[in-house]
Amino acid sequence: DVVGVSLITEYCLTHEQVKALALSALWSAEMETPDVKEAIVDSKAGKPLMKALKHDDSGVVLQAAGCVANLSTQMPEIKVALFEGGVGDTLLNLLKNDSDTEIRKQAMVGIVNMCAGTPAALAHLVSNGAVEAINELSRSTQDKSIKNLCLTASRALTR
């Protein structure tokens, strides 16, 4: 579209930067309207998000993880669609294995949000080590805000 072409040509954005900007817009978007919910669920949004979560560019991965964290606070249908699309497992992999603390933090938030009110996601992700990965993130950082977030997340998954 014209706006996209304008962004690329005017600002000389790379493909990865354009992806990150698009994900950033979705990250901050409000999804509480039925037409947006339907568009996300029907379009199988999990597939492009999965691809972005596995991208080589850490900026794209961070934006995708934040986007999932936001989408996972929305309507139950969105959480289920993301979980069934494999996004929960991908977030868990990032939480366990990524070297970037911010990516791990966003992955953790996405997991907790996805599990809230979604028993299948909660059972699956907890049984596959989500709580242990959260505790490891807490031990690996000196940032008190992340430590506090980890404590809250761990409690949310073990209630």
Side-chain angles (χ1 to χ4, degrees):
D1 91 336
V2 175
V3 174
V5 171
S6 174
L7 277 173
I8 293 169
T9 56
E10 186 174 340
Y11 298 106
C12 299
L13 297 176
T14 65
H15 189 62
E16 285 69 29
Q17 289 169 320
V18 172
K19 285 181 186 176
L21 285 171
L23 290 166
S24 179
L26 193 53
W27 181 351
S28 60
E30 291 297 323
M31 305 295 163
E32 293 296 331
T33 60
D35 56 330
V36 173
K37 176 204 73 165
E38 184 178 316
I40 291 170
V41 173
D42 291 348
S43 71
K44 308 289 187 238
K47 288 182 182 182
L49 282 170
M50 288 274 289
K51 192 172 181 180
L53 287 168
K54 294 177 180 181
H55 200 277
D56 291 337
D57 184 293
S58 64
V60 172
V61 175
L62 177 61
Q63 295 298 324
C67 179
V68 172
N70 180 40
L71 290 174
S72 296
T73 66
Q74 309 299 327
M75 299 171 184
E77 298 90 344
I78 294 174
K79 293 181 190 192
V80 170
L82 292 172
F83 175 70
E84 289 177 353
V87 173
D89 287 327
T90 302
L91 289 177
L92 184 56
N93 184 53
L94 289 170
L95 177 59
K96 288 179 175 181
N97 300 311
D98 203 274
S99 61
D100 186 311
T101 301
E102 281 301 309
I103 290 173
R104 293 176 71 197
K105 180 179 90 172
Q106 288 303 322
M108 173 184 65
V109 172
I111 287 169
V112 172
N113 291 347
M114 187 177 290
C115 289
T118 313
L122 177 64
H124 176 78
L125 294 169
V126 168
S127 71
N128 282 286
V131 174
E132 293 83 358
I134 290 168
N135 292 336
E136 175 54 35
L137 173 58
S138 179
R139 285 189 296 272
S140 72
T141 185
Q142 297 302 314
D143 185 324
K144 293 205 184 294
S145 66
I146 293 177
K147 286 184 175 292
N148 289 335
L149 189 58
C150 288
L151 179 62
T152 302
S154 181
R155 287 180 179 163
L157 295 181
T158 56
R159 286 188 221 170

